[in-house]
Amino acid sequence: GAGVSQSPSNKVTEKGKDVELRCDPISGHTALYWYRQSLGQGLEFLIYFQGNSAPDKSGLPSDRFSAERTGGSVSTLTIQRTQQEDSAVYLCASSLLGGAGSEQFFGPGTRLTVL
Amino acid sequence: QKEVEQDPGPLSVPEGAIVSLNCTYSNSAFQYFMWYRQYSRKGPELLMYTYSSGNKEDGRFTAQVDKSSKYISLFIRDSQPSDSATYLCAMSTSNTGNQFYFGTGTSLTVIP
């Protein structure tokens, strides 16, 4: 079956512009995660959704970052007034039920470059 | 101090070698331990999953967890060029909600 998909695969933007990154999780997966992967930094947790609710937003680095999920499916991560330090690969993952021991299935990521 | 420490490498080995990858961690509450493999320009994929301490074997791969030392390992036997990838350890506990803590990843190249 189809895995997690993300779009766009690459995004180049100018400093100060807003960007939207999209994630389509595996159908039926209730949990959805966003991570940021920077060179030498590993995966940094950003936000977690259970259904359409985000019980854990603790990883969002600033109020320029926001995310939503609609219909228990598609999620959008929005970065406002982008900065050069926002350049990274943004990964989305989904899991069937969520929880500490759940298997996460990752998308291929969106590579964001802020000039 | 980071929650999870992992040597980034890079690690280069000849085909057929035994590879040992390791992570240390600081939170004694971690219960779930995972190893992910990430090929270039792809998302991570789950390779091994272990709950609590002990060993788990799957084909050429063996995962070990030593909770007393806060140390986990992944061994790859008879390494193949197709094993060339970045390997990330990850761990979690129900005490931290749904946060998963990842290492920085170790880049492995298996030379034919």
Side-chain angles (χ1 to χ4, degrees):
Chain A
V4 177
S5 60
Q6 292 185 247
S7 60
S9 55
N10 284 283
K11 177 71 177 179
V12 180
T13 190
E14 293 179 348
K15 178 181 173 181
K17 301 279 190 181
D18 297 352
V19 295
E20 282 191 355
L21 312 180
R22 177 187 168 108
C23 173
D24 283 84
I26 293 173
S27 178
H29 280 197
T30 62
L32 186 146
Y33 307 78
W34 282 99
Y35 294 90
R36 180 167 69 176
Q37 187 173 33
S38 305
L39 195 62
Q41 297 297 315
L43 266 69
E44 176 189 2
F45 170 82
L46 297 179
I47 190 169
Y48 155 74
F49 286 92
Q50 183 62 256
N52 292 334
S53 301
D56 191 348
K57 303 180 183 179
S58 62
L60 294 177
S62 75
D63 59 8
R64 296 187 295 105
F65 288 72
S66 63
E68 65 174 11
R69 188 180 185 195
T70 56
S73 181
V74 173
S75 177
T76 303
L77 177 68
T78 301
I79 309 173
Q80 295 179 308
R81 305 180 303 282
T82 51
Q83 304 294 310
Q84 288 183 333
E85 61 263 28
D86 299 334
S87 296
V89 176
Y90 289 82
L91 289 160
C92 172
S94 69
S95 70
L96 184 60
L97 296 174
S102 61
E103 178 178 359
Q104 298 184 37
F105 295 83
F106 283 84
T110 293
R111 185 173 298 272
L112 175 65
T113 303
V114 182
L115 302 177
Chain B
Q1 183 186 9
K2 287 184 180 179
E3 294 272 3
V4 180
E5 299 278 357
Q6 183 176 10
D7 186 340
L11 189 60
S12 184
V13 301
E15 183 174 354
I18 296 175
V19 177
S20 173
L21 305 167
N22 312 292
C23 289
T24 58
Y25 62 94
S26 56
N27 188 345
S28 58
F30 284 139
Q31 303 162 296
Y32 302 91
F33 303 91
M34 291 143 279
W35 285 94
Y36 282 83
R37 178 175 61 195
Q38 186 176 22
Y39 291 112
S40 181
R41 302 279 175 157
K42 302 286 187 184
E45 57 179 341
L46 184 66
L47 194 59
M48 297 286 283
Y49 169 99
T50 309
Y51 173 72
S52 194
S53 281
N55 295 357
K56 185 172 184 179
E57 187 173 322
D58 184 2
R60 296 184 295 111
F61 299 89
T62 300
Q64 288 185 351
V65 175
D66 182 348
K67 292 193 72 177
S68 62
S69 302
K70 300 192 185 71
Y71 188 88
I72 69 171
S73 300
L74 177 70
F75 297 96
I76 307 174
R77 291 183 298 281
D78 187 24
S79 55
Q80 302 294 309
S82 58
D83 296 329
S84 298
T86 296
Y87 290 80
L88 301 120
C89 62
M91 43 201 82
S92 64
T93 169
S94 54
N95 296 341
T96 58
N98 283 279
Q99 280 211 30
F100 286 71
Y101 296 85
F102 283 80
T104 53
T106 300
S107 176
L108 171 68
T109 300
V110 180
I111 303 168

